[in-house]
Amino acid sequence: MNAPARPDLTSLPAWRALTEHHAAIAEVHMRELFATDPGRAGRYALEAAGLFLDYSKNRITDDTLRLLAQLAREAGVEDLRARMFRGEAINATEGRAVLHTALRRPRGDVVVVDGENVVEAVHAVLERIETFTESVRSGAWRGHTGESIRHVVNIGIGGSDLGPLMACEALRPYGHPGLTMHFVSNVDGTHMAETLKRVDAASTLFIVASKTFTTQETLTNAHTARAWLVEQLGSDAAVAKHFVAVSTNAREVGAFGIDTANMFGFWDWVGGRYSLWSAIGLPIALYVGMANFRELLAGANTLDRHFESAPLEANLPVILALLGVWYSNFFGAATHAVLPYDQSLHRFPAYLQQLDMESNGKRVTREGAAVDYATGPVLWGEPGTNGQHAFYQLIHQGTRLVPGDFIVPLDSHHPIGRHHTLLLANCLAQTEALMRGKTADEARAELAAGGMSGAALEALVPHKVFPGNRPSNTVLVQKLTPAVLGALIALYEHKVFVQGAIWNINSFDQWGVELGKQLAKAIEPELEGRAGGSHDSSTAALIERVRTRRSA
Ligand code: F6P
């Protein structure tokens, strides 16, 4: 059932009030806000599911937060949230429910879709995953030649790659010491070739992960891997012991030649970029074991319960979302940086890029009208401290406003010497520097203290000034455990949801991927001279050049 069309975002009373409020506080410096309000840090902090959020270093006042929460209410965030958790088909363009939250429900919970309690089905698959992963991890599962498994190669792309890859990297301290995980996603043959150099067929398990099982990149890679395995082990029969599939499409899995007994299923109400909690998480469960995988799910579920029940003003994902709306729509910020001060989260920004940009990179409302406001930001990031020596210059002294999230664990899995103290100090220093900046007087005094004076000093001052007033959030966690990682991912999933709800866009389809796919299909035979096509002069000349100049 479709909800009635919502009034245009920019005509909501809270939007108008925020526009006026922005004009009033846009020039106010956070230094001043901190100086005049000693309770600020305490008031603008929240904690849930093992995540502590300090959002006091934002260009906000109590009025800002009140109006932003009002905007969320007027935009119908609470209603859409309830409809999502209930399993309504809120992904209207694909006619699907959005129920990744059901994947992390404990046994005994009930979520009914089409008359079926999907939580039972979820746990049935989890049990199959448990049996399978235990047999691989214990060495009981034997390959075609009798060897146990030492290498796992996940073949998938997008949501069938980024989540498992990111989580396996993040949870390395929990990984099975005898298993090496590999991920092949790119259709560039180099990705597969370089991976196959590092594994030996007899002890390698391939997971072909594809929701649709029709994705060109994944099927091309899977066919290459299968041909290699059969050649290495000398028999088609080897496939049964070395290939498993994760998909919603049993027919295509069978057509590929994988016995559906070796297939782990999931459902169309799990979006690709929200699927690591489903059987798509098989590589995670293999690597860190089922108990840890269940902890990951439980951490996400704790955050789900918080998101579902906490008032908007005290709701972590809602607050992150509203701050993002504040900067995107009122300050004109085009990007958002995610800056994990944790090396094991080095693929987290890449993972979030799909989550956020494939979800909220939309230009029409749920009703199909063009929006007249900005939607999802360009999301990017790198682990600290590497970013500090690369792009932080622009964040500190450039002309653009780049809000960012700093994420750091209090305890390291590798407490070597003073490394972690230095990491923490850098993280906290950056958020302080971004907020405070450095005035011309401070720069002058510093240069004078260093022995400089006169014209030389004055010439340098403008270069040494930091405007500050650059917003950031800080997320502190005790330690990056599976439960904390689960909560952290769910935090961003729900942030994206809330923003999509406010912008009145469908965060759960991805039609923007289609056009390139269609055109690639048309160009492919043209590159091999098997077909001709009609193109603009640039594309036609490039096709011709590729066709006639490539040597292989
Ligand atoms: O990029 C488009 C997309 O459909 C993603 O949403 C999805 O995660 C990815 O392709 C892979 O799809 P599949 O799991 O069906 O191979």
Side-chain angles (χ1 to χ4, degrees), residues 157-160 209-213 215 218 272-273 354 358 510 513:
I157 196 163
S160 301
S210 175
K211 180 176 170 182
T212 55
F213 229 77
T215 304
T218 299
R273 52 195 174 273
Q354 187 199 13
E358 201 171 71
Q510 55 284 317
V513 191

Side-chain angles (χ1 to χ4, degrees), residues 65-93:
L65 289 168
R66 184 178 49 76
L67 290 173
L68 286 169
Q70 187 188 326
L71 180 71
R73 289 204 170 86
E74 288 175 6
V77 168
E78 290 156 306
D79 177 56
L80 194 70
R81 178 182 63 183
R83 293 174 60 211
M84 174 176 75
F85 278 106
R86 269 203 305 273
E88 282 186 33
I90 63 167
N91 175 1
T93 60

Side-chain angles (χ1 to χ4, degrees), residues 313-397:
E313 292 79 357
N315 196 310
L316 264 92
V318 173
I319 291 291
L320 283 188
L322 292 174
L323 291 167
V325 168
W326 181 227
Y327 296 120
S328 289
N329 298 114
F330 296 91
F331 285 83
T335 82
H336 185 87
V338 176
L339 307 163
Y341 277 65
D342 187 324
Q343 187 57 29
S344 58
L345 286 174
H346 72 110
R347 293 299 286 165
F348 194 55
Y351 167 77
L352 288 184
Q353 279 180 331
Q354 187 199 13
L355 175 64
D356 200 319
M357 293 163 78
E358 201 171 71
S359 295
N360 284 345
K362 309 285 163 66
R363 52 172 289 284
V364 296
T365 64
R366 281 187 287 247
E367 296 79 29
V371 299
D372 56 357
Y373 43 82
T375 59
V378 176
L379 188 141
W380 55 285
E382 277 289 321
T385 57
N386 295 2
Q388 290 175 207
H389 295 274
F391 52 79
Y392 278 37
Q393 165 66 40
L394 182 148
I395 306 182
H396 283 289
Q397 288 189 313

Side-chain angles (χ1 to χ4, degrees), residues 175-351:
H176 190 299
L179 283 180
T180 305
M181 309 302 291
H182 310 263
F183 291 83
V184 179
S185 51
N186 199 331
V187 77
D188 182 343
T190 301
H191 204 176
M192 180 58 80
E194 291 296 338
T195 304
L196 294 180
K197 278 187 202 164
R198 297 200 300 273
V199 302
D200 75 302
S203 64
T204 298
L205 176 74
F206 292 93
I207 301 172
V208 186
S210 175
K211 180 176 170 182
T212 55
F213 229 77
T214 56
T215 304
Q216 184 202 54
E217 292 91 333
T218 299
L219 289 187
T220 304
N221 279 322
H223 280 290
T224 300
R226 190 175 63 173
W228 175 83
L229 182 98
V230 168
E231 194 210 316
Q232 294 280 311
L233 299 183
S235 166
D236 275 337
V239 172
K241 287 289 171 195
H242 293 268
F243 271 79
V244 297
V246 179
S247 188
T248 58
N249 191 343
R251 199 168 46 86
E252 289 297 329
V253 169
F256 177 85
I258 296 178
D259 186 344
T260 43
N262 289 340
M263 167 182 159
F264 299 87
F266 59 113
W267 307 270
D268 73 355
W269 40 261
V270 182
R273 52 195 174 273
Y274 299 87
S275 65
L276 73 85
W277 323 98
S278 71
I280 288 291
L282 185 64
I284 311 170
L286 274 168
Y287 188 46
V288 303
M290 203 56 196
N292 284 316
F293 188 63
R294 287 187 193 277
E295 283 293 307
L296 181 84
L297 300 178
N301 180 256
T302 308
L303 202 283
D304 293 342
R305 303 281 71 80
H306 166 79
F307 174 54
E308 200 179 7
S309 60
L312 298 182
E313 292 79 357
N315 196 310
L316 264 92
V318 173
I319 291 291
L320 283 188
L322 292 174
L323 291 167
V325 168
W326 181 227
Y327 296 120
S328 289
N329 298 114
F330 296 91
F331 285 83
T335 82
H336 185 87
V338 176
L339 307 163
Y341 277 65
D342 187 324
Q343 187 57 29
S344 58
L345 286 174
H346 72 110
R347 293 299 286 165
F348 194 55
Y351 167 77

